[in-house]
Amino acid sequence: MTTALRRLRNYIDGEFRDAADGRTTEVVNPATGEPYATAPLSGSEDVDVAMAAAEAAFPAWRDLIPAERQKVLLKIADRFEERAEELIAAESENCGKPIALVRSEEIPPMVDQIRFFAGAARMLEGRSAGEYMDGFTSIIRREPVGVCAQVAPWNYPMMMAVWKFAPALAAGNTVVIKPSDTTPASTVLIADIIGSVLDELGHPRGVFNVVCGDRETGRLMVEHKVPAMASITGSVRAGMQVAESASKDLKRVHLELGGKAPVVVFEDTDIAKAVEDIATAGYFNAGQDCTAATRVLVQESIHDEFVAALAKAASETKTGAVDDEDVLYGPLNNANQLKQVKGFIERLPAHAKIEAGGEQVGEKGYFFAPTVVSGLKQDDEIVQQEVFGPVITVQSFTDEKQAVEWANGVEYALASSVWTKDHARAMRMSKVLDFGCVWINTHIPLVAEMPHGGFKKSGYGKDLSAYGFDDYTRIKHVMTSLDG
């Protein structure tokens, strides 16, 4: 007996719609490996209609006083709390994530982030007016950029949607967002929540739109003539393609791409505490996090002790069913990602040693065991390239100079951490580590008030914080003659 698949739909100009040409794609639950829904495979006509809706809604939304936009965002945050169990269920099915962890680790920060940007909506000030030429006064206007084309990833589809729409809407922009083709369910539910709030408060229905689809749909959005800005969280390859496409009409671009975070552990570290925290930060969300603590550099004097402790922690870390409250993480998101992680393990050089894990687990779904690999060299593929799975690599360094050289010796530059009791060393390392974030004796905490974003091939622009809000505004100089 075949179970009917749930039908997800685009949300455009306040209405749920199928793709204009009727095309769909199946959506698979990664915990089971079985399809549970269909979603639109949107084409150029769908993108045109969504962009037209956002463009038409922009003037009225732009011209609202900030306090009114704040009211909308605050009500959206309240509605997220009211409908939290629906969001949790959608995200768990989207990603195979443990229900308890979505409830405790994703809903509270998302609500907080929306409320933070609700406050930021009222902080559109410029520098003080003044006379810089005799007889003239200059003022600065902070304005929204316009329609924003946004592409969210599959690792945190719900939270990354919040990171994109919240600052954009707060600043007075309108939005067309595309979720990943493997994880559209929670974004479609978010559209229902935001749409109901906009309707209740009497605001234009085209302020927020969701277009489901694949890479081609995303390309059509980025290359469309309407958006003034394109924002993507995704792979380096995808970011480069977006930057190239956006360059054709000089769109503003916001890119949050891959990471290969170094975790530098010095010999004076509390090994037990460091191992506990690093294992959690490395395996959480199956390591599918651009900031995950998956590239550990350990001073040689404590290397063997550290590796043994980390392998033990890995063997005690549990992955499994969404309703099991003892698991730390669920499956990899899709079959292609499972294949990629397996490929890294299969291609390990002869000098590498698998200390724990290294294999797929479970009879169904895309689960992979918590893995530790030691004996690696700086130029090994698994050290240089993002695995995006529950795999922690370990290298042994001799001194601070070598630690810095190896930590910085990758193409990514998103996040890093330093583990030491030596305050001066921690300060030196935080200065020279070439990453957008440096944690000291911790790894992975984020707060709405602080920026998240990297350098080099990790992209440019910031999420969260006032800096993330600024990215969705433009600066205008207005000069007036004092002669009347």
Side-chain angles (χ1 to χ4, degrees), residues 151-156 159-160 163-164 229-240 242 253-260 288-292 386 388 412-415 446 451-464 471-472:
V151 179
W154 48 251
N155 59 334
Y156 292 98
M159 187 176 291
M160 294 302 98
W163 285 22
K164 293 191 181 303
M229 179 176 179
S231 170
I232 178 176
T233 300
S235 68
V236 173
R237 178 173 62 96
M240 289 179 170
V242 166
V253 178
H254 181 283
L255 303 175
E256 200 278 276
L257 310 176
K260 195 68 182 173
Q288 297 170 125
D289 190 316
C290 297
T291 64
E386 187 174 34
F388 225 56
Y412 303 92
L414 182 57
L446 294 169
H452 177 80
F455 315 135
K456 300 193 309 193
K457 285 190 176 179
S458 288
Y460 43 80
K462 298 295 182 183
D463 289 311
L464 303 177
D471 280 355
Y472 287 93

Side-chain angles (χ1 to χ4, degrees), residues 382-422:
I382 200 169
V383 169
Q384 290 294 319
Q385 300 301 318
E386 187 174 34
V387 178
F388 225 56
V391 178
I392 297 178
T393 64
V394 185
Q395 298 167 256
S396 175
F397 69 85
T398 55
D399 55 25
E400 191 174 316
K401 179 181 178 181
Q402 187 177 61
V404 172
E405 178 185 347
W406 286 359
N408 289 340
V410 293
E411 293 183 326
Y412 303 92
L414 182 57
S416 59
S417 63
V418 179
W419 300 74
T420 180
K421 296 177 182 177
D422 186 330

